[in-house]
Amino acid sequence: MTNFTTSTQLDETERAVDGATILTVNALRVTAGAAPGGRTLVSEVSFQLGRGETLGVVGESGSGKSLTAKAVVGLLPGGLRAQGSIDFAGHQLIDATHRTWRTLRGPRISLLLQDPFTMLNPLQTAGTHLAESLRRDKSLDRGARRAEIARRLGEVGLAPEVADQYPFQLSGGMRQRVALAAALARDPELLIADEPTTALDVTTQAEVLQLLKDIQRRRGMSLMLITHDLRVAFSICDRVQVMYAGLLMEQSPAAVLATDPGHPYSAGLLIADPPVTHYVAELTAIPGSVPHAEDVVDTCAFAARCSWVKPECTAAKPPLVSVGPSRTSACLRLDEIREELRSTLDRIDDPAPPPALPAADNAVVTVTELRKTFHTRRLVGKARHTMALDGVNLQIAHGESVGVVGETGSGKTTIARSLLGLVTPDSGQISLDGMDVSNYRRLSRLTRREARRFVQMVFQDPYTSLNPSLSIGTTLREVLSVRGDVTDPGEEVASLLGRVGLPASYAQRRPATLSGGERQRVAIARAIALRPRLLVCDEPVAALDVSAQAQVLELLRDIRRSDELSTLFITHDLSVVRQMTDRIIVLYHGQIVEAGDTATVLDNPQHTYTQRLLKAAPGVLSGADHAADPAWGEGEA
Amino acid sequence: MTIALFLLRRLGGMVVLLLVLSLLVFGLLALSPVSELTTLLGTQPSTPEAVQAITAEYHLNDPFLVQYWHWLVDALHGNFGQSIQSGEPVGSVIVSHLPVTLELALYAGLLVLVLGVPVGMAAGIRRGRVFDRGVSGLTIVGMSAPGFSLGILLIYVFGVALNWFPVFGPGGDQAADRVAHLTLPSIALAAGLIALIVRQTRAATMHVMEQDYVTFARARGISRPRIMVSYALRNTGLPIVTAAGLQLIVAISGTVLVESVFSIPGAGQLMVQSIQSADIPVVQGLSFFVALLVMVVNLIVDVAVLIIDPRTRAAARG
């Protein structure tokens, strides 16, 4: 693979020898703007994909994994240009003509996108999506076409009636299945799936992954799976390649990579992902954040964040070299540090005893029989009623962290919004340390102010929760002025930034110049600026990259310990729950179906729904039935 | 089924709205600065017979609400009284002026849709290219040129200098002649509206073409014409239909100036004349018809949205 040349002559002979290769990408480069001044987003990416093989492309945001996928199907966003060579079964795809694409896209290559809520035409039924995607065959009459559509829906596990439904009438998982059926309608030889399960709930995610894997095997189709989640890649891929800042860092068989990472970055990714099976005393994050591809042209892209960096790493860009049977790595020092890399993985395999439960007698928050139904009026027809909370009881003790787990629509967020007074419950009581705040609108101004200081929130998406036009310092000073007892706001801002691990100079910067992880730190600083007694965290790491996730989680743990904060931690991710909470409640259709201390519930779930959630967590599900990753399965089980 | 139900409810609402409106329209008479009698007499000599006739006809001695009731009953029978200027029934005055205005507005509306939507879509798809920049430049010209000055320019270039189109009056009853006479006025009326619709369509198209569902459609080999029609056109249709409805209404009121420039005896001109000569019954009748027209256009827009977008017609089943 490494001594590959671009000569077409050689291409032909190579394919003749190795008839199994369907896609050969060589020195792919994606640039923005006009060359030569354009920014480089992907550089020197080369790989091959065999027929019937599943390749995982793993990386954090900005790694260039999605652009690589889009370049292969010729659908780069406007203004971006691909160079190099992409050979698909003898067709050169770089700058291919419309006519070439017409014979390839659909019948030979297809692409499945991330978000099932935007991928389907909202004005067309599921059946129409399939009908327009199927091969135009005049000999089929209407009945036969309908039967074919029903068969295709059946392949992805949907009932024939779904054909008459519009996307808005289907759940996220069902939409993703319809999209999959449409992508496969012309029976392509290669399917590229770009984060196909990221936007789905855990249980749905597991089902869709399983389906993708089954269909890929049954059809003998080649699959290129783009994901940020190594566990997802391990669960269905034969080979995995890790990308970082637009470059390839490592290519390895999935099973080998899981236990023997060939690059410090891969190792970092592996240990940044907290385990669901046990509590870890210290979450290990990769320090810093992902650089832009154009900033690391003449150095190892990962050098700035690597603990094994030596001067030779930054002297020139290390080439991707063969390091074993069907393995390559871009780490210069791999031979010296291989053992160390392997042993770092043990760090997350050591279970630590979870911290002792705080005394449950002094409840800071008491929620009793909380109910809330949402009514949506429509232009025509009856109004719809959605029961979000159906008699929820909940207590949080001083210094305790309670996790709320459940799928989309289970009512998780409604609890948080009720505590903050953003939603007025229909009935039930919320008491904050004896203060009744069931209905914020009926509170006196003074009590309302007190209640708002009592509870603070960290939102999911740090990209939208900070005002982009205010500097970080202004944002924090605004909150401090509410607190009222601050004599030197400048110093207080600096100390707040220090507490969340940011330099004081960040006060002058605006959110746009910060990475996602840094923004979430600012959001946390803003929340703790009021010295609240209760911190509500609504999926605080769901929008962050794996490496930033561990940093933010560790920061939240620190703050909780030192301030003896009570927290309500909302998440769909059971590994996060394991690391961050003392007790959990499992919410299903607005009702608590299971509650207890975290270790007990996760180790020995009683309710079938909790069991289903646990089974669905990636890495747990697939360890058993995929030959490629027994080692990972062991680590998890 | 759901659409029929929706229509029924909306029609009921329209009746109520029209009643409220009729009260306001009738109030015009009472609000006029001189006495109702003087207004209604107009230029007639105020002989006792004439005064008596008018008082009896308009029930001027009755209380306001009773007067209104009589007026409403008459209006429902199509009788809005007589024009003070000509003495003709208001109904027939309006019927002789309104059609040419409607033809003008529809012609302009057609130009807006036929030219504006495709050009806007093409510009949205070729965003940033020469075509897009040219079109965007032209829309600024179109939006900033007032209809009447553009009308004079059109008369000079295409009427006088090139002699392609007639420049005066509404033309005869033959369709071809009508179209020839109304072409320049329609262009003058439509120019600004086309510019607006082009901009809106361009923005909507740009938005739609960036959506995942278009990328996904291309990725699975859906043909370009199908993407253009079923994806781009239908999805841009929603904002465009809403905007087009508003524009048709603007077009109807915009006819006032254009009709003066091209000497077309339409409703716009009639309105101006009637207001100038305080011909209140005609003003009442015209206001009533225009209001009705606006409501009908809005209703058509809402029904069109229901037809285009399945989400809006989702009933209990969803």
Side-chain angles (χ1 to χ4, degrees):
Chain A
M1 207 177 312
T2 40
N3 57 5
F4 191 79
T5 71
T6 44
S7 141
T8 20
Q9 191 57 49
L10 198 65
D11 258 355
E12 296 298 333
T13 49
E14 259 208 6
R15 225 184 355 269
V17 174
D18 177 16
T21 301
I22 187 166
L23 180 72
T24 307
V25 174
N26 194 37
L28 173 70
R29 190 179 187 82
V30 177
T31 48
R39 286 171 48 220
T40 303
L41 302 169
V42 172
S43 65
E44 300 300 317
V45 167
S46 306
F47 62 92
Q48 287 184 317
L49 180 61
R51 283 188 189 274
E53 191 187 20
T54 301
L55 172 70
V57 181
V58 180
E60 299 179 274
S61 52
S63 66
K65 58 187 191 303
S66 277
L67 290 179
T68 305
K70 297 235 163 83
V72 173
V73 284
L75 291 174
L76 282 173
L80 300 193
R81 238 173 71 80
Q83 290 157 284
S85 153
I86 302 175
D87 178 280
F88 175 80
H91 298 272
Q92 177 52 248
L93 300 186
I94 300 266
D95 297 325
T97 58
H98 275 295
R99 269 184 49 202
T100 313
W101 280 122
R102 218 183 304 151
T103 59
L104 293 179
R105 269 191 221 132
R108 306 200 62 187
I109 310 181
S110 198
L111 171 75
L112 186 65
L113 297 171
Q114 171 174 355
D115 190 348
F117 295 91
T118 59
M119 210 191 329
L120 299 175
N121 185 347
L123 309 182
Q124 265 181 198
T125 60
T128 313
H129 277 97
L130 282 177
E132 68 181 7
S133 311
L134 287 169
R135 188 171 290 109
R136 232 159 280 287
D137 189 346
K138 293 266 161 50
S139 65
L140 286 180
D141 60 5
R142 270 183 65 119
R145 282 194 87 85
R146 269 204 80 85
E148 179 64 14
I149 288 170
R151 193 179 72 76
R152 299 295 185 140
L153 287 172
E155 188 184 9
V156 295
L158 293 174
E161 296 84 63
V162 172
D164 295 323
Q165 298 203 288
Y166 288 97
F168 75 94
Q169 294 167 314
L170 303 172
S171 70
M174 288 167 90
R175 290 184 210 203
Q176 195 61 293
R177 284 164 191 264
V178 170
L180 178 59
L184 296 177
R186 302 281 295 272
D187 308 315
E189 295 147 59
L190 166 64
L191 177 69
I192 299 171
D194 188 359
E195 304 260 13
T197 58
T198 307
L200 303 175
D201 279 321
V202 208
T203 48
T204 330
Q205 192 174 352
E207 288 164 16
V208 170
L209 269 180
Q210 189 64 49
L211 176 71
L212 204 58
K213 178 167 140 190
D214 289 347
I215 288 180
Q216 180 270 328
R217 278 196 189 156
R218 215 179 307 140
R219 292 177 166 225
M221 179 178 71
S222 306
L223 176 65
M224 188 169 149
L225 178 77
I226 317 290
T227 177
H228 68 280
D229 191 338
L230 270 172
R231 286 185 291 190
V232 166
F234 291 152
S235 68
I236 72 168
C237 296
D238 306 317
R239 279 195 305 132
V240 171
Q241 62 185 32
V242 180
M243 289 186 72
Y244 183 76
L247 294 156
L248 276 182
M249 294 284 116
E250 170 178 7
Q251 298 169 309
S252 288
V256 183
L257 178 55
T259 48
D260 177 22
H263 195 281
Y265 177 59
S266 315
L269 279 183
L270 281 170
I271 56 171
D273 218 352
V276 69
T277 45
H278 54 265
Y279 182 83
V280 178
E282 194 186 347
L283 299 169
T284 323
I286 308 173
S289 52
V290 185
H292 293 294
E294 75 263 24
D295 296 337
V296 289
V297 278
D298 49 7
T299 165
C300 168
F302 189 62
R305 303 171 75 187
C306 183
S307 353
W308 291 276
V309 63
K310 278 275 169 71
E312 66 257 37
C313 295
T314 52
K317 181 179 285 184
L320 199 63
V321 294
S322 175
V323 293
S326 62
R327 293 196 77 176
T328 60
S329 164
C331 182
L332 280 181
R333 305 189 59 219
L334 184 62
D335 287 341
E336 305 162 54
I337 63 173
R338 201 154 183 170
E339 276 313 310
E340 280 181 66
L341 285 182
R342 222 174 288 177
S343 62
T344 55
L345 296 191
D346 299 339
R347 247 190 274 173
I348 55 160
D349 285 339
D350 288 338
L357 285 180
D361 48 353
N362 52 346
V364 168
V365 181
T366 312
V367 171
T368 333
E369 283 297 308
L370 204 63
R371 278 169 215 283
K372 177 73 190 176
T373 305
F374 289 104
H375 309 271
T376 3
R377 277 197 61 85
R378 287 151 177 269
L379 194 55
V380 284
K382 285 185 203 143
R384 247 176 81 171
H385 309 283
T386 320
M387 174 92 77
L389 294 179
D390 187 9
V392 167
N393 293 300
L394 166 72
Q395 279 203 345
I396 307 175
H398 178 73
E400 190 185 31
S401 170
V402 173
V404 182
V405 181
E407 295 182 359
T408 315
S410 60
K412 290 178 300 192
T413 299
T414 311
I415 295 185
R417 296 179 69 88
S418 306
L419 283 172
L420 287 155
L422 300 173
V423 159
T424 306
D426 299 335
S427 69
Q429 268 212 329
I430 304 172
S431 140
L432 301 178
D433 206 12
M435 179 167 43
D436 182 1
V437 295
S438 316
N439 189 343
Y440 267 69
R441 273 183 263 171
R442 289 216 201 101
L443 298 181
S444 70
R445 265 182 57 197
L446 214 72
T447 343
R448 200 182 308 152
R449 256 180 78 171
E450 211 180 315
R452 292 246 147 96
R453 272 199 208 182
F454 196 101
V455 197
Q456 283 292 300
M457 173 120 170
V458 177
F459 292 90
Q460 170 171 356
D461 187 354
Y463 293 88
T464 54
S465 67
L466 295 176
N467 184 340
S469 58
L470 295 186
S471 72
I472 305 304
T474 315
T475 298
L476 294 177
R477 268 196 298 277
E478 191 178 71
V479 184
L480 289 173
S481 73
V482 175
R483 202 169 89 192
D485 62 352
V486 183
T487 44
D488 185 354
E491 196 176 308
E492 186 68 25
V493 165
S495 97
L496 272 174
L497 286 173
R499 284 207 63 195
V500 296
L502 293 175
S505 61
Y506 271 46
Q508 270 84 50
R509 296 174 60 170
R510 279 176 211 283
T513 61
L514 271 54
S515 73
E518 288 171 335
R519 286 182 218 207
Q520 198 62 299
R521 286 163 188 267
V522 172
I524 292 169
R526 182 178 59 180
I528 59 171
L530 277 181
R531 298 188 181 137
R533 305 268 310 275
L534 172 68
L535 189 64
V536 178
C537 301
D538 189 357
E539 304 268 14
V541 293
L544 302 182
D545 280 323
V546 194
S547 62
Q549 177 176 325
Q551 296 168 8
V552 169
L553 290 180
E554 193 55 41
L555 172 66
L556 282 169
R557 274 184 174 185
D558 263 4
I559 287 172
R560 239 193 78 212
R561 253 177 253 143
S562 58
D563 290 15
E564 294 188 8
L565 259 179
S566 307
T567 45
L568 183 72
F569 207 99
I570 296 171
T571 179
H572 68 279
D573 188 338
L574 294 177
S575 3
V576 171
V577 165
R578 171 75 85 171
Q579 306 307 325
M580 301 302 292
T581 62
D582 303 315
R583 281 195 303 124
I584 64 174
I585 59 174
V586 182
L587 216 55
Y588 185 62
H589 291 324
Q591 287 180 326
I592 296 180
V593 293
E594 186 159 2
D597 68 273
T598 305
T600 315
V601 172
L602 292 185
D603 292 340
N604 188 13
Q606 296 303 311
H607 195 271
T608 47
Y609 176 67
T610 322
Q611 291 164 357
R612 232 171 72 214
L613 274 180
L614 252 143
K615 237 184 104 197
V620 178
L621 143 108
S622 13
D625 64 342
H626 195 255
D629 54 359
W632 183 253
E634 252 167 48
E636 289 288 302
Chain B
M1 168 57 203
T2 46
I3 291 187
L5 205 81
F6 168 79
L7 265 179
L8 236 117
R9 280 207 344 226
R10 281 297 297 269
L11 284 175
M14 273 173 71
V15 169
V16 174
L17 197 59
L18 269 181
L19 276 177
V20 174
L21 201 91
S22 69
L23 193 64
L24 290 176
V25 165
F26 178 74
L28 280 177
L29 184 62
L31 284 174
S32 58
V34 287
S35 84
E36 296 160 25
L37 190 64
T38 326
T39 309
L40 292 171
L41 270 175
T43 50
Q44 292 179 57
S46 63
T47 57
E49 294 80 35
V51 169
Q52 207 178 2
I54 296 246
T55 309
E57 191 189 337
Y58 289 92
H59 311 276
L60 288 183
N61 289 332
D62 291 336
F64 178 77
L65 283 178
V66 178
Q67 285 184 41
Y68 167 65
W69 175 249
H70 286 295
W71 180 83
L72 186 67
V73 170
D74 282 348
L76 287 180
H77 288 92
N79 177 10
F80 286 88
Q82 272 99 46
S83 162
I84 293 162
Q85 279 179 296
S86 62
E88 281 177 72
V90 170
S92 58
V93 173
I94 291 175
V95 164
S96 66
H97 285 77
L98 201 57
V100 69
T101 299
L102 287 184
E103 284 163 20
L104 186 60
L106 280 179
Y107 194 169
L110 208 66
L111 284 180
V112 169
L113 288 182
V114 169
L115 286 176
V117 174
V119 168
M121 275 186 75
I125 291 162
R126 290 181 178 72
R127 142 186 203 184
R129 310 248 190 98
V130 179
F131 178 80
D132 178 35
R133 278 188 238 151
V135 166
S136 295
L138 276 179
T139 58
I140 293 176
V141 176
M143 279 193 291
S144 35
F148 58 90
S149 59
L150 184 65
I152 293 168
L153 186 73
L154 289 173
I155 290 176
Y156 179 73
V157 176
F158 295 101
V160 181
L162 296 171
N163 202 17
W164 287 359
F165 293 102
V167 299
F168 183 85
D173 286 337
Q174 282 154 321
D177 191 37
R178 242 317 140 81
V179 169
H181 274 86
L182 289 185
T183 297
L184 291 185
S186 303
I187 294 173
L189 186 58
L193 302 177
I194 290 176
L196 272 176
I197 269 289
V198 164
R199 297 221 130 197
Q200 261 153 348
T201 312
R202 175 177 175 271
T205 307
M206 262 159 42
H207 176 74
V208 167
M209 293 308 283
E210 276 171 7
Q211 295 302 299
D212 276 355
Y213 51 77
V214 172
T215 309
F216 183 50
R218 291 174 65 193
R220 57 187 211 275
I222 306 296
S223 71
R224 208 171 160 74
R226 174 147 188 117
I227 290 180
M228 290 319 348
V229 175
S230 297
Y231 284 72
L233 188 61
R234 278 193 73 192
N235 278 291
T236 50
L238 283 176
I240 293 173
V241 164
T242 314
L246 287 173
Q247 301 213 348
L248 194 59
I249 292 163
V250 174
I252 291 171
S253 46
T255 53
V256 174
L257 288 170
V258 171
E259 282 175 11
S260 318
V261 172
F262 289 91
S263 311
I264 295 168
Q269 285 230 42
L270 180 66
M271 187 65 124
V272 174
Q273 282 166 16
S274 314
I275 290 173
Q276 276 170 349
S277 54
D279 194 345
I280 298 292
V282 176
V283 175
Q284 285 177 326
L286 264 179
S287 311
F288 203 75
F289 273 110
V290 170
L292 191 65
L293 212 63
V294 169
M295 282 186 217
V296 169
V297 168
N298 274 322
L299 184 67
I300 292 172
V301 166
D302 284 348
V303 171
V305 168
L306 276 181
I307 290 169
I308 294 175
D309 191 346
R311 284 165 294 191
T312 53
R313 70 185 120 93
R317 164 170 89 110

